[in-house]
Amino acid sequence: MKREYICGGFLTLLIVLLVLTNLAVGTVDIPFRDVLNILIGKESGNVGWNFIVWETRFPQTVTALFCGAALAVSGLMLQTTFSNPLAGPSILGINSGASLGVAFVMLVGGGSVATATFSLSGFLSVLLGAFLGATLVLAVILFLSTLIRSNVMLLIAGIMLGYIASSVISLLNFFSTAEGVHSYMVWGMGNFSGVSLEQLPWFVLVTSLGLMLSILLIKPLNAMLLGQNYAENLGVNIQRTRNYLLITTGILTAVVTAFCGPVSFIGLAVPHMARLLLGTSNHNSLLPITLLTGACVTLMCNLICILPGEYGIIPLNAVTPIMGAPVIIYVIINQRRIQYFN
Amino acid sequence: MEKRVVFEGRNLTTGYKHDKQRVEVHQGLNFTLYAGEMTCLLGCNGAGKSTLLRTLATAQPALSGKLNLFGKDIADYSNRELSKSIGIVLTERTQIGGLTVYELVALGRQPHTGYFGRLRTTDKELVHRAIELVGLREKADSYMAQLSDGERQKAMIAKALVQECPIIILYEPTAFLDVVSRIEMMELLHQIAVNENKAVLLSTHDVEQALSLSDKLWVMTNEKKMRCGTVEDVVLSGCMDHLFEHQTIRFDLNKGGYLSHHKKGKDVVLMATDSILYYWAQNALQRNGFRCCSNDGGYSLPCLEVQSSHVLIWKEENKTVTYHSFEELLSNIGSCV
């Protein structure tokens, strides 16, 4: 059987197991049988348990799953677009752009996370802010990519953009209220519990939309592996394709950043994990496998975050670099032996 | 048999536009490209070969003049039509190490496949056939990273073949190859041109292979003109000497290649028992600054008589010495350079 089907089947199985574990494990001990009963609609005797499973664990698990898929896929699209294996939403400053948008809405708009998370208009304004911030940075990066030929230099330019966004955020923080700053700080550490059950359908809808758009881009993405000149010769409209990629990556990064905070390393490292698993850079199989791997990795991260149990939750951004950075270092050390680098 | 005209350029000016500046590389180019022929574009570095090829491949527009593709102005073609008409093969390194040869060649079907790029049975057959044609059948499932430069180039040619374009334009396809692969590559391209009835146009610095294997030459001369025609017509018209502007390096019509001709030098009468010995004896003498002639014309010139590679008889002013190797000969008669 083909390698991608084996990997796909294995990852799907792993996701199911991880989802169940994420639902079963938490601060409060709930017997697994009761968790299942609650999920299939049978009310258990314990109202607290019902609440915990439905209002906390379920949205958190689903959010982790979609967040990982979204970030991993946007990382893959960026790496192909810039033909740079070290591109990713956090490296290129797209995360920071989205954060700036969120900061603007939260701190200047006078709202806090609390108001933002409980009304649909708050949800939409945070989302819009993140999307505008992310696409702004992406547009600047794309513009710079026409001026800067070297990929390494372009990455550095992206890091600089990230710094500029961060310094504007610092300024906004300086002029903001203590409460606003606090809620922004908490948001900035990243977590998967920011999406409530009421918002969950919206979150899932928007990420699914982005993921579907990315699947429509598989054909031009494959052409772009050959470089711009060859892709143009194959009938790919580079300008238009780049715009589609910009919008799709913008949507995916923005929706995740708006609700989970600026999550680092997933977008950068997961496409490499998927390539190492498959051995190919053909997006027909690479993109679905990246999506599944991303979901697995974030579900694992979420499990690690809730490990301390009653002592609280570990910030997400303390966990993702531990998962991601070793992968990148491995890839860099072995790049001569890894075929997709050559 | 009348050959089909593919490209026709009339009074074409190629060049770049930078903001408001207009940089013209060539003015008033006239040429015709035919199907079923391999055409080599020759020119020194910076002569504007790439500019012309890029103009033909529509990667940049012509500044003025007419450029017709199958009798229709090239500007009237859509991107999709063009991607089915002109296939290109570049020298640039791409990040395709992670694709297998089959996957890479299949990308050439993109202009013909639907939204998701799914390959039908006929597409798959075409891909297999192209891989076989360029001689990579055994490597079809190898990753591009495992291939040599020559094999990578062949895979790219197969990619251009499955595009089913009547025209294939190649930018210096032999640039990074050793001499055997260069000949192999040129023979492959010629075979593709003739058997598949394609118009194959390539730029190259490999004059020797171009002269022996291509049908037509486009020579960019140092007067910013381009001479087009069948190889022999172009060579015998003497325009090969205008390819490069150089005092002492001239085109040698006997050998079909460029040689250094020194103005100064001592004349030597050279005699040899066969043409091979004559050729290599002349090679040795010319390198050391001698000029060879067949008789002394009344001047008592030194004379070298080569009977075999071990018997070299040198006569100079009544003195006759027999040498047993070229090394011995050259170290005794000295150099005139």
Side-chain angles (χ1 to χ4, degrees), chain A residues 42-87:
Chain A
K42 281 192 223 158
E43 295 283 307
S44 82
N46 192 324
V47 186
W49 287 359
N50 289 343
F51 183 83
I52 288 170
V53 171
W54 275 116
E55 297 291 329
T56 312
R57 291 189 189 175
F58 180 72
Q60 198 168 338
T61 307
V62 176
T63 307
L65 192 141
F66 277 87
C67 165
L71 285 179
V73 167
S74 57
L76 174 64
M77 289 194 293
L78 288 172
Q79 289 175 7
T80 304
T81 317
F82 292 106
S83 45
N84 191 328
L86 293 179

mmCIF file of all heavy atoms in Angstrom, chain A residues 42-87:
data_model
loop_
_atom_site.group_PDB
_atom_site.id
_atom_site.type_symbol
_atom_site.label_atom_id
_atom_site.label_comp_id
_atom_site.label_asym_id
_atom_site.label_seq_id
_atom_site.Cartn_x
_atom_site.Cartn_y
_atom_site.Cartn_z
ATOM 1 N N LYS A 42 -26.356 11.406 26.919
ATOM 2 C CA LYS A 42 -26.978 10.957 28.170
ATOM 3 C C LYS A 42 -26.456 11.829 29.298
ATOM 4 O O LYS A 42 -25.258 11.939 29.500
ATOM 5 C CB LYS A 42 -26.608 9.488 28.448
ATOM 6 C CG LYS A 42 -27.411 8.498 27.643
ATOM 7 C CD LYS A 42 -27.179 7.100 28.189
ATOM 8 C CE LYS A 42 -26.987 6.092 27.065
ATOM 9 N NZ LYS A 42 -26.287 4.903 27.476
ATOM 10 N N GLU A 43 -27.385 12.477 30.017
ATOM 11 C CA GLU A 43 -26.964 13.305 31.141
ATOM 12 C C GLU A 43 -26.478 12.410 32.273
ATOM 13 O O GLU A 43 -27.134 11.435 32.626
ATOM 14 C CB GLU A 43 -28.155 14.138 31.633
ATOM 15 C CG GLU A 43 -28.646 15.154 30.624
ATOM 16 C CD GLU A 43 -27.753 16.362 30.543
ATOM 17 O OE1 GLU A 43 -27.474 16.971 31.592
ATOM 18 O OE2 GLU A 43 -27.313 16.705 29.431
ATOM 19 N N SER A 44 -25.318 12.701 32.786
ATOM 20 C CA SER A 44 -24.887 11.950 33.961
ATOM 21 C C SER A 44 -25.473 12.639 35.183
ATOM 22 O O SER A 44 -25.944 13.780 35.102
ATOM 23 C CB SER A 44 -23.370 11.915 34.059
ATOM 24 O OG SER A 44 -22.907 13.110 34.638
ATOM 25 N N GLY A 45 -25.450 11.966 36.286
ATOM 26 C CA GLY A 45 -26.053 12.509 37.491
ATOM 27 C C GLY A 45 -25.382 13.786 37.970
ATOM 28 O O GLY A 45 -26.000 14.665 38.538
ATOM 29 N N ASN A 46 -24.086 13.924 37.632
ATOM 30 C CA ASN A 46 -23.322 15.036 38.160
ATOM 31 C C ASN A 46 -23.365 16.231 37.200
ATOM 32 O O ASN A 46 -22.819 16.198 36.095
ATOM 33 C CB ASN A 46 -21.874 14.557 38.347
ATOM 34 C CG ASN A 46 -21.060 15.542 39.156
ATOM 35 O OD1 ASN A 46 -21.259 16.751 39.026
ATOM 36 N ND2 ASN A 46 -20.161 15.025 39.985
ATOM 37 N N VAL A 47 -24.064 17.300 37.629
ATOM 38 C CA VAL A 47 -24.204 18.477 36.760
ATOM 39 C C VAL A 47 -22.845 19.114 36.468
ATOM 40 O O VAL A 47 -22.569 19.592 35.378
ATOM 41 C CB VAL A 47 -25.144 19.517 37.405
ATOM 42 C CG1 VAL A 47 -25.410 20.662 36.452
ATOM 43 C CG2 VAL A 47 -26.452 18.857 37.838
ATOM 44 N N GLY A 48 -21.979 19.104 37.493
ATOM 45 C CA GLY A 48 -20.632 19.663 37.333
ATOM 46 C C GLY A 48 -19.872 18.955 36.233
ATOM 47 O O GLY A 48 -19.232 19.597 35.392
ATOM 48 N N TRP A 49 -20.007 17.631 36.213
ATOM 49 C CA TRP A 49 -19.305 16.878 35.179
ATOM 50 C C TRP A 49 -19.818 17.246 33.793
ATOM 51 O O TRP A 49 -19.048 17.423 32.864
ATOM 52 C CB TRP A 49 -19.488 15.361 35.407
ATOM 53 C CG TRP A 49 -18.708 14.837 36.576
ATOM 54 C CD1 TRP A 49 -17.891 15.555 37.389
ATOM 55 C CD2 TRP A 49 -18.687 13.483 37.049
ATOM 56 N NE1 TRP A 49 -17.346 14.754 38.344
ATOM 57 C CE2 TRP A 49 -17.819 13.464 38.162
ATOM 58 C CE3 TRP A 49 -19.328 12.311 36.652
ATOM 59 C CZ2 TRP A 49 -17.563 12.297 38.886
ATOM 60 C CZ3 TRP A 49 -19.063 11.145 37.362
ATOM 61 C CH2 TRP A 49 -18.191 11.134 38.475
ATOM 62 N N ASN A 50 -21.141 17.330 33.662
ATOM 63 C CA ASN A 50 -21.727 17.750 32.378
ATOM 64 C C ASN A 50 -21.101 19.052 31.910
ATOM 65 O O ASN A 50 -20.697 19.199 30.760
ATOM 66 C CB ASN A 50 -23.235 17.984 32.519
ATOM 67 C CG ASN A 50 -23.981 16.676 32.704
ATOM 68 O OD1 ASN A 50 -23.429 15.614 32.421
ATOM 69 N ND2 ASN A 50 -25.191 16.768 33.203
ATOM 70 N N PHE A 51 -21.053 20.003 32.827
ATOM 71 C CA PHE A 51 -20.548 21.321 32.491
ATOM 72 C C PHE A 51 -19.084 21.236 32.057
ATOM 73 O O PHE A 51 -18.688 21.815 31.044
ATOM 74 C CB PHE A 51 -20.693 22.264 33.698
ATOM 75 C CG PHE A 51 -20.259 23.660 33.385
ATOM 76 C CD1 PHE A 51 -21.132 24.538 32.754
ATOM 77 C CD2 PHE A 51 -18.974 24.094 33.703
ATOM 78 C CE1 PHE A 51 -20.730 25.823 32.444
ATOM 79 C CE2 PHE A 51 -18.582 25.379 33.408
ATOM 80 C CZ PHE A 51 -19.455 26.252 32.778
ATOM 81 N N ILE A 52 -18.303 20.495 32.839
ATOM 82 C CA ILE A 52 -16.865 20.413 32.533
ATOM 83 C C ILE A 52 -16.636 19.804 31.161
ATOM 84 O O ILE A 52 -15.880 20.336 30.339
ATOM 85 C CB ILE A 52 -16.127 19.598 33.626
ATOM 86 C CG1 ILE A 52 -16.063 20.416 34.913
ATOM 87 C CG2 ILE A 52 -14.707 19.245 33.168
ATOM 88 C CD1 ILE A 52 -15.575 19.629 36.103
ATOM 89 N N VAL A 53 -17.311 18.705 30.880
ATOM 90 C CA VAL A 53 -17.087 18.039 29.599
ATOM 91 C C VAL A 53 -17.547 18.926 28.447
ATOM 92 O O VAL A 53 -16.817 19.144 27.480
ATOM 93 C CB VAL A 53 -17.782 16.672 29.558
ATOM 94 C CG1 VAL A 53 -17.735 16.094 28.138
ATOM 95 C CG2 VAL A 53 -17.117 15.711 30.522
ATOM 96 N N TRP A 54 -18.767 19.474 28.549
ATOM 97 C CA TRP A 54 -19.308 20.239 27.421
ATOM 98 C C TRP A 54 -18.745 21.634 27.303
ATOM 99 O O TRP A 54 -18.495 22.113 26.194
ATOM 100 C CB TRP A 54 -20.834 20.304 27.495
ATOM 101 C CG TRP A 54 -21.474 19.090 26.873
ATOM 102 C CD1 TRP A 54 -22.225 18.163 27.503
ATOM 103 C CD2 TRP A 54 -21.366 18.677 25.515
ATOM 104 N NE1 TRP A 54 -22.598 17.183 26.625
ATOM 105 C CE2 TRP A 54 -22.090 17.466 25.385
ATOM 106 C CE3 TRP A 54 -20.732 19.196 24.389
ATOM 107 C CZ2 TRP A 54 -22.198 16.780 24.190
ATOM 108 C CZ3 TRP A 54 -20.847 18.508 23.196
ATOM 109 C CH2 TRP A 54 -21.569 17.309 23.098
ATOM 110 N N GLU A 55 -18.552 22.311 28.404
ATOM 111 C CA GLU A 55 -18.160 23.723 28.328
ATOM 112 C C GLU A 55 -16.649 23.918 28.316
ATOM 113 O O GLU A 55 -16.159 24.944 27.891
ATOM 114 C CB GLU A 55 -18.761 24.510 29.508
ATOM 115 C CG GLU A 55 -20.258 24.542 29.522
ATOM 116 C CD GLU A 55 -20.854 25.372 28.397
ATOM 117 O OE1 GLU A 55 -20.202 26.362 27.986
ATOM 118 O OE2 GLU A 55 -21.950 25.032 27.911
ATOM 119 N N THR A 56 -15.901 22.951 28.825
ATOM 120 C CA THR A 56 -14.452 23.129 28.886
ATOM 121 C C THR A 56 -13.702 22.176 27.982
ATOM 122 O O THR A 56 -13.063 22.587 27.021
ATOM 123 C CB THR A 56 -13.945 22.957 30.334
ATOM 124 O OG1 THR A 56 -14.768 23.733 31.191
ATOM 125 C CG2 THR A 56 -12.502 23.392 30.449
ATOM 126 N N ARG A 57 -13.842 20.868 28.292
ATOM 127 C CA ARG A 57 -12.977 19.912 27.590
ATOM 128 C C ARG A 57 -13.301 19.798 26.109
ATOM 129 O O ARG A 57 -12.405 19.756 25.275
ATOM 130 C CB ARG A 57 -13.083 18.530 28.250
ATOM 131 C CG ARG A 57 -12.471 18.525 29.623
ATOM 132 C CD ARG A 57 -12.392 17.125 30.157
ATOM 133 N NE ARG A 57 -11.999 17.142 31.553
ATOM 134 C CZ ARG A 57 -11.953 16.052 32.306
ATOM 135 N NH1 ARG A 57 -12.304 14.885 31.786
ATOM 136 N NH2 ARG A 57 -11.576 16.118 33.551
ATOM 137 N N PHE A 58 -14.592 19.732 25.767
ATOM 138 C CA PHE A 58 -14.961 19.543 24.368
ATOM 139 C C PHE A 58 -14.494 20.705 23.486
ATOM 140 O O PHE A 58 -13.789 20.483 22.493
ATOM 141 C CB PHE A 58 -16.468 19.299 24.256
ATOM 142 C CG PHE A 58 -16.947 19.091 22.857
ATOM 143 C CD1 PHE A 58 -16.658 17.911 22.174
ATOM 144 C CD2 PHE A 58 -17.673 20.084 22.201
ATOM 145 C CE1 PHE A 58 -17.082 17.726 20.879
ATOM 146 C CE2 PHE A 58 -18.089 19.900 20.896
ATOM 147 C CZ PHE A 58 -17.805 18.717 20.230
ATOM 148 N N PRO A 59 -14.845 21.965 23.847
ATOM 149 C CA PRO A 59 -14.381 23.058 22.979
ATOM 150 C C PRO A 59 -12.851 23.126 22.901
ATOM 151 O O PRO A 59 -12.291 23.376 21.838
ATOM 152 C CB PRO A 59 -14.933 24.321 23.652
ATOM 153 C CG PRO A 59 -15.903 23.881 24.645
ATOM 154 C CD PRO A 59 -15.634 22.443 24.966
ATOM 155 N N GLN A 60 -12.198 22.862 24.029
ATOM 156 C CA GLN A 60 -10.742 22.957 24.060
ATOM 157 C C GLN A 60 -10.108 21.932 23.115
ATOM 158 O O GLN A 60 -9.187 22.243 22.365
ATOM 159 C CB GLN A 60 -10.264 22.711 25.493
ATOM 160 C CG GLN A 60 -8.858 23.187 25.740
ATOM 161 C CD GLN A 60 -8.539 23.183 27.227
ATOM 162 O OE1 GLN A 60 -9.462 23.221 28.057
ATOM 163 N NE2 GLN A 60 -7.280 23.136 27.557
ATOM 164 N N THR A 61 -10.642 20.714 23.144
ATOM 165 C CA THR A 61 -10.104 19.652 22.287
ATOM 166 C C THR A 61 -10.313 19.979 20.814
ATOM 167 O O THR A 61 -9.391 19.885 20.004
ATOM 168 C CB THR A 61 -10.802 18.315 22.621
ATOM 169 O OG1 THR A 61 -10.690 18.089 24.021
ATOM 170 C CG2 THR A 61 -10.173 17.163 21.870
ATOM 171 N N VAL A 62 -11.540 20.399 20.481
ATOM 172 C CA VAL A 62 -11.835 20.716 19.080
ATOM 173 C C VAL A 62 -10.981 21.894 18.622
ATOM 174 O O VAL A 62 -10.441 21.902 17.503
ATOM 175 C CB VAL A 62 -13.341 21.009 18.897
ATOM 176 C CG1 VAL A 62 -13.636 21.441 17.471
ATOM 177 C CG2 VAL A 62 -14.158 19.779 19.240
ATOM 178 N N THR A 63 -10.832 22.900 19.497
ATOM 179 C CA THR A 63 -10.017 24.053 19.143
ATOM 180 C C THR A 63 -8.577 23.633 18.870
ATOM 181 O O THR A 63 -7.976 24.041 17.871
ATOM 182 C CB THR A 63 -10.023 25.097 20.281
ATOM 183 O OG1 THR A 63 -11.371 25.389 20.607
ATOM 184 C CG2 THR A 63 -9.314 26.355 19.860
ATOM 185 N N ALA A 64 -8.023 22.787 19.753
ATOM 186 C CA ALA A 64 -6.642 22.334 19.570
ATOM 187 C C ALA A 64 -6.494 21.638 18.225
ATOM 188 O O ALA A 64 -5.561 21.899 17.461
ATOM 189 C CB ALA A 64 -6.237 21.396 20.700
ATOM 190 N N LEU A 65 -7.464 20.771 17.926
ATOM 191 C CA LEU A 65 -7.415 20.002 16.682
ATOM 192 C C LEU A 65 -7.379 20.925 15.459
ATOM 193 O O LEU A 65 -6.498 20.820 14.601
ATOM 194 C CB LEU A 65 -8.638 19.091 16.642
ATOM 195 C CG LEU A 65 -8.695 17.984 15.595
ATOM 196 C CD1 LEU A 65 -9.317 16.745 16.213
ATOM 197 C CD2 LEU A 65 -9.505 18.409 14.394
ATOM 198 N N PHE A 66 -8.327 21.878 15.409
ATOM 199 C CA PHE A 66 -8.394 22.749 14.236
ATOM 200 C C PHE A 66 -7.246 23.743 14.189
ATOM 201 O O PHE A 66 -6.766 24.104 13.117
ATOM 202 C CB PHE A 66 -9.752 23.473 14.194
ATOM 203 C CG PHE A 66 -10.824 22.632 13.582
ATOM 204 C CD1 PHE A 66 -11.551 21.747 14.352
ATOM 205 C CD2 PHE A 66 -11.070 22.698 12.222
ATOM 206 C CE1 PHE A 66 -12.523 20.947 13.788
ATOM 207 C CE2 PHE A 66 -12.038 21.896 11.639
ATOM 208 C CZ PHE A 66 -12.777 21.018 12.431
ATOM 209 N N CYS A 67 -6.820 24.188 15.356
ATOM 210 C CA CYS A 67 -5.724 25.158 15.421
ATOM 211 C C CYS A 67 -4.460 24.542 14.826
ATOM 212 O O CYS A 67 -3.769 25.160 14.013
ATOM 213 C CB CYS A 67 -5.505 25.559 16.871
ATOM 214 S SG CYS A 67 -3.964 26.386 17.161
ATOM 215 N N GLY A 68 -4.184 23.292 15.215
ATOM 216 C CA GLY A 68 -2.986 22.632 14.689
ATOM 217 C C GLY A 68 -3.046 22.455 13.195
ATOM 218 O O GLY A 68 -2.087 22.750 12.473
ATOM 219 N N ALA A 69 -4.211 21.989 12.711
ATOM 220 C CA ALA A 69 -4.365 21.784 11.275
ATOM 221 C C ALA A 69 -4.160 23.098 10.530
ATOM 222 O O ALA A 69 -3.437 23.165 9.540
ATOM 223 C CB ALA A 69 -5.744 21.208 10.992
ATOM 224 N N ALA A 70 -4.788 24.174 11.050
ATOM 225 C CA ALA A 70 -4.728 25.464 10.363
ATOM 226 C C ALA A 70 -3.304 26.011 10.312
ATOM 227 O O ALA A 70 -2.828 26.426 9.256
ATOM 228 C CB ALA A 70 -5.646 26.461 11.067
ATOM 229 N N LEU A 71 -2.621 25.993 11.447
ATOM 230 C CA LEU A 71 -1.273 26.567 11.486
ATOM 231 C C LEU A 71 -0.309 25.750 10.624
ATOM 232 O O LEU A 71 0.519 26.306 9.898
ATOM 233 C CB LEU A 71 -0.764 26.628 12.922
ATOM 234 C CG LEU A 71 -1.369 27.729 13.779
ATOM 235 C CD1 LEU A 71 -0.794 27.671 15.186
ATOM 236 C CD2 LEU A 71 -1.117 29.106 13.174
ATOM 237 N N ALA A 72 -0.424 24.424 10.697
ATOM 238 C CA ALA A 72 0.490 23.573 9.932
ATOM 239 C C ALA A 72 0.304 23.803 8.439
ATOM 240 O O ALA A 72 1.270 23.962 7.696
ATOM 241 C CB ALA A 72 0.246 22.112 10.281
ATOM 242 N N VAL A 73 -0.957 23.872 8.002
ATOM 243 C CA VAL A 73 -1.212 24.067 6.576
ATOM 244 C C VAL A 73 -0.743 25.450 6.127
ATOM 245 O O VAL A 73 -0.146 25.596 5.062
ATOM 246 C CB VAL A 73 -2.708 23.841 6.259
ATOM 247 C CG1 VAL A 73 -3.049 24.339 4.869
ATOM 248 C CG2 VAL A 73 -3.043 22.365 6.378
ATOM 249 N N SER A 74 -0.972 26.474 6.957
ATOM 250 C CA SER A 74 -0.510 27.795 6.511
ATOM 251 C C SER A 74 1.016 27.838 6.469
ATOM 252 O O SER A 74 1.587 28.474 5.592
ATOM 253 C CB SER A 74 -1.095 28.925 7.365
ATOM 254 O OG SER A 74 -0.775 28.734 8.712
ATOM 255 N N GLY A 75 1.665 27.128 7.401
ATOM 256 C CA GLY A 75 3.128 27.055 7.344
ATOM 257 C C GLY A 75 3.598 26.400 6.065
ATOM 258 O O GLY A 75 4.508 26.894 5.393
ATOM 259 N N LEU A 76 2.955 25.304 5.689
ATOM 260 C CA LEU A 76 3.334 24.601 4.453
ATOM 261 C C LEU A 76 3.165 25.503 3.238
ATOM 262 O O LEU A 76 4.054 25.591 2.381
ATOM 263 C CB LEU A 76 2.477 23.338 4.291
ATOM 264 C CG LEU A 76 2.664 22.580 2.980
ATOM 265 C CD1 LEU A 76 4.076 22.038 2.863
ATOM 266 C CD2 LEU A 76 1.667 21.457 2.869
ATOM 267 N N MET A 77 2.045 26.221 3.180
ATOM 268 C CA MET A 77 1.800 27.089 2.028
ATOM 269 C C MET A 77 2.861 28.187 1.944
ATOM 270 O O MET A 77 3.348 28.524 0.871
ATOM 271 C CB MET A 77 0.405 27.693 2.107
ATOM 272 C CG MET A 77 -0.691 26.669 1.861
ATOM 273 S SD MET A 77 -2.280 27.403 1.562
ATOM 274 C CE MET A 77 -2.607 28.106 3.151
ATOM 275 N N LEU A 78 3.228 28.735 3.114
ATOM 276 C CA LEU A 78 4.251 29.787 3.111
ATOM 277 C C LEU A 78 5.596 29.235 2.658
ATOM 278 O O LEU A 78 6.328 29.877 1.910
ATOM 279 C CB LEU A 78 4.379 30.400 4.505
ATOM 280 C CG LEU A 78 3.211 31.277 4.934
ATOM 281 C CD1 LEU A 78 3.348 31.660 6.400
ATOM 282 C CD2 LEU A 78 3.139 32.525 4.076
ATOM 283 N N GLN A 79 5.947 28.023 3.131
ATOM 284 C CA GLN A 79 7.240 27.448 2.762
ATOM 285 C C GLN A 79 7.333 27.224 1.258
ATOM 286 O O GLN A 79 8.373 27.440 0.648
ATOM 287 C CB GLN A 79 7.471 26.135 3.522
ATOM 288 C CG GLN A 79 7.721 26.389 5.003
ATOM 289 C CD GLN A 79 7.831 25.133 5.831
ATOM 290 O OE1 GLN A 79 7.841 24.035 5.315
ATOM 291 N NE2 GLN A 79 7.918 25.313 7.136
ATOM 292 N N THR A 80 6.227 26.808 0.650
ATOM 293 C CA THR A 80 6.255 26.600 -0.802
ATOM 294 C C THR A 80 6.256 27.935 -1.539
ATOM 295 O O THR A 80 7.014 28.112 -2.487
ATOM 296 C CB THR A 80 5.051 25.752 -1.243
ATOM 297 O OG1 THR A 80 5.076 24.537 -0.508
ATOM 298 C CG2 THR A 80 5.120 25.433 -2.714
ATOM 299 N N THR A 81 5.403 28.872 -1.102
ATOM 300 C CA THR A 81 5.333 30.156 -1.792
ATOM 301 C C THR A 81 6.674 30.858 -1.814
ATOM 302 O O THR A 81 7.094 31.401 -2.829
ATOM 303 C CB THR A 81 4.327 31.100 -1.088
ATOM 304 O OG1 THR A 81 3.184 30.348 -0.745
ATOM 305 C CG2 THR A 81 3.952 32.248 -1.985
ATOM 306 N N PHE A 82 7.354 30.865 -0.661
ATOM 307 C CA PHE A 82 8.641 31.570 -0.608
ATOM 308 C C PHE A 82 9.787 30.642 -0.946
ATOM 309 O O PHE A 82 10.931 31.020 -0.791
ATOM 310 C CB PHE A 82 8.841 32.188 0.775
ATOM 311 C CG PHE A 82 7.895 33.314 1.054
ATOM 312 C CD1 PHE A 82 6.839 33.157 1.924
ATOM 313 C CD2 PHE A 82 8.058 34.526 0.417
ATOM 314 C CE1 PHE A 82 5.956 34.187 2.166
ATOM 315 C CE2 PHE A 82 7.177 35.568 0.641
ATOM 316 C CZ PHE A 82 6.126 35.395 1.526
ATOM 317 N N SER A 83 9.494 29.433 -1.409
ATOM 318 C CA SER A 83 10.469 28.357 -1.589
ATOM 319 C C SER A 83 11.554 28.436 -0.529
ATOM 320 O O SER A 83 12.738 28.483 -0.811
ATOM 321 C CB SER A 83 11.058 28.324 -3.000
ATOM 322 O OG SER A 83 11.417 29.582 -3.445
ATOM 323 N N ASN A 84 11.097 28.473 0.709
ATOM 324 C CA ASN A 84 12.006 28.553 1.836
ATOM 325 C C ASN A 84 11.539 27.635 2.947
ATOM 326 O O ASN A 84 10.463 27.830 3.508
ATOM 327 C CB ASN A 84 12.049 29.993 2.345
ATOM 328 C CG ASN A 84 13.154 30.203 3.330
ATOM 329 O OD1 ASN A 84 13.511 29.288 4.080
ATOM 330 N ND2 ASN A 84 13.706 31.380 3.335
ATOM 331 N N PRO A 85 12.345 26.602 3.243
ATOM 332 C CA PRO A 85 11.908 25.627 4.246
ATOM 333 C C PRO A 85 11.828 26.193 5.662
ATOM 334 O O PRO A 85 11.306 25.528 6.553
ATOM 335 C CB PRO A 85 12.967 24.534 4.161
ATOM 336 C CG PRO A 85 14.139 25.158 3.513
ATOM 337 C CD PRO A 85 13.624 26.248 2.647
ATOM 338 N N LEU A 86 12.329 27.420 5.866
ATOM 339 C CA LEU A 86 12.275 27.980 7.221
ATOM 340 C C LEU A 86 11.210 29.062 7.358
ATOM 341 O O LEU A 86 11.189 29.800 8.337
ATOM 342 C CB LEU A 86 13.641 28.519 7.632
ATOM 343 C CG LEU A 86 14.710 27.429 7.803
ATOM 344 C CD1 LEU A 86 16.031 28.039 8.192
ATOM 345 C CD2 LEU A 86 14.290 26.412 8.849
ATOM 346 N N ALA A 87 10.320 29.142 6.375
ATOM 347 C CA ALA A 87 9.240 30.114 6.491
ATOM 348 C C ALA A 87 8.145 29.531 7.393
ATOM 349 O O ALA A 87 8.030 28.329 7.547
ATOM 350 C CB ALA A 87 8.667 30.431 5.120
#
